[in-house]
Amino acid sequence: MEIIVSKNYDELSKKAASFVIDLIKEKPDSVLGLATGGTPEGMYAELVKAYEAGKISFKDVRTYNLDEYIGLDGNHEQSYRHFMNKQLFDHVDIDKNNTYVPNGKAEDLEAECENYEKILKDLSYADIQILGIGTNGHIGFNEPAEELILPTHVEPLVEATIEANSRYFDSKDEVPKEAISMGIGSILKAKHIILLASGPSKNEIMKYFNNDKISTNIPASLIKLHPNVTIIMDEEAAK
Ligand code: GLP
């Protein structure tokens, strides 16, 4: 596991983007596993800049996202599909048919999860999987628990997550109570995992990367089992 401490958020974003840019240059039809949340926003902005400067093309890139809120359709401002369009897809030459986000409005959620897992498999999983981390240690929406589910599944959100994510909604009541999330097993199938953490709110949880333990109560700690992990955090998160 490589740990990179960047001076600030701007540097973190540039560093994270540089891994993706190098990958796309080397393999133009790369598969990217993407994350939402505030943390990767700067990285997406850097990727758009690199595209605009003619350094990379997304023409043949395929992407899939970690998760989506149940009950929100792709046009909802807080849906992760909308987030991805706004942050990246609308600004680059990617074919949106090659971008996958679970359908939070699927009538049959179990079938949606199974189908999503099949998509990941057909894509042979991500060359790079980007992850953020919740203050409670969740990745995607895999919440702390005694047992974690390996494939894509429906996950009830815990109170801490609803509270943390309510900042994006008009009120806490509007935050969906469930999500479709890739499981820990599907996340660990990526060839390279890059976890990003920024700011003092991630300080406490990032301490857990200083030891040689794993715990399902800190789902992000399971990435310690993966042979190719890079953690990029800024000084505030690393303090
Ligand atoms: C959400 C997402 C996670 C993300 C987390 C942290 O709950 N499901 O994938 O890592 O938020 O978000 P932020 O980067 O805004 O702290």
Side-chain angles (χ1 to χ4, degrees), residues 21 67 97 229:
I21 292 166
D67 46 14
N97 292 316
V229 174

Side-chain angles (χ1 to χ4, degrees), residues 4-233:
I4 300 171
V5 178
S6 301
K7 218 180 290 147
N8 51 40
Y9 179 67
D10 187 49
E11 239 186 51
L12 171 150
S13 303
K14 290 196 165 96
K15 188 76 205 167
S18 74
F19 280 99
V20 178
I21 292 166
D22 289 349
L23 171 73
I24 296 176
K25 279 184 184 161
E26 193 189 305
K27 186 180 174 198
D29 63 345
S30 314
V31 177
L32 304 178
L34 300 176
T36 52
T39 314
E41 284 185 11
M43 178 195 75
Y44 293 133
E46 292 298 326
L47 292 178
V48 172
K49 270 195 231 162
Y51 163 74
E52 285 171 348
K55 290 183 191 152
I56 46 167
S57 163
F58 288 80
K59 194 168 59 67
D60 297 319
V61 169
R62 283 86 42 87
T63 71
Y64 58 73
N65 267 73
L66 283 166
D67 46 14
E68 179 61 285
Y69 288 116
I70 290 175
L72 304 191
D73 76 35
N75 295 318
H76 191 287
E77 285 227 341
Q78 296 312 328
S79 74
Y80 287 163
R81 160 57 72 184
H82 184 264
F83 174 100
M84 287 312 305
N85 288 346
K86 210 176 59 178
Q87 297 293 326
L88 182 66
F89 302 153
D90 284 345
H91 310 290
V92 297
D93 61 346
I94 200 160
D95 177 351
K96 281 200 190 146
N97 292 316
N98 289 332
T99 67
Y100 300 94
V101 181
N103 175 9
K105 284 290 251 188
E107 266 178 36
D108 184 342
L109 293 168
E110 290 309 316
E112 175 64 15
C113 293
E114 266 176 45
N115 183 47
Y116 201 70
E117 199 58 39
K118 187 174 176 304
I119 292 169
L120 309 185
K121 193 174 176 207
D122 288 348
L123 290 169
S124 303
Y125 302 96
D127 293 296
I128 286 182
Q129 173 70 60
I130 302 292
L131 296 177
I133 182 168
T135 47
N136 65 355
H138 75 211
I139 46 176
F141 270 126
N142 293 278
E143 301 283 26
E146 197 175 315
E147 291 183 316
L148 299 175
I149 299 171
L150 296 175
T152 303
H153 61 281
V154 171
E155 179 91 18
L157 306 186
V158 301
E159 191 54 29
T161 299
I162 293 172
E163 184 69 47
N165 290 7
S166 65
R167 67 189 192 276
Y168 296 113
F169 291 80
D170 288 339
S171 75
K172 198 173 137 189
D173 292 345
E174 286 179 32
V175 184
K177 306 284 180 286
E178 288 181 313
I180 295 177
S181 179
M182 279 170 59
I184 295 292
S186 13
I187 292 171
L188 289 177
K189 288 200 173 99
K191 294 162 191 82
H192 181 191
I193 292 177
I194 301 180
L195 183 140
L196 309 177
S198 164
S201 69
K202 301 295 164 69
N203 197 262
E204 197 54 40
I205 197 71
M206 292 316 286
K207 283 186 192 158
Y208 205 78
F209 285 91
N210 276 337
N211 66 36
D212 290 328
K213 297 176 187 167
I214 54 167
S215 167
T216 57
N217 285 315
I218 303 178
S221 69
L222 275 284
I223 68 169
K224 292 182 191 181
L225 296 172
H226 191 281
N228 189 12
V229 174
T230 306
I231 293 180
I232 312 176
M233 50 186 162

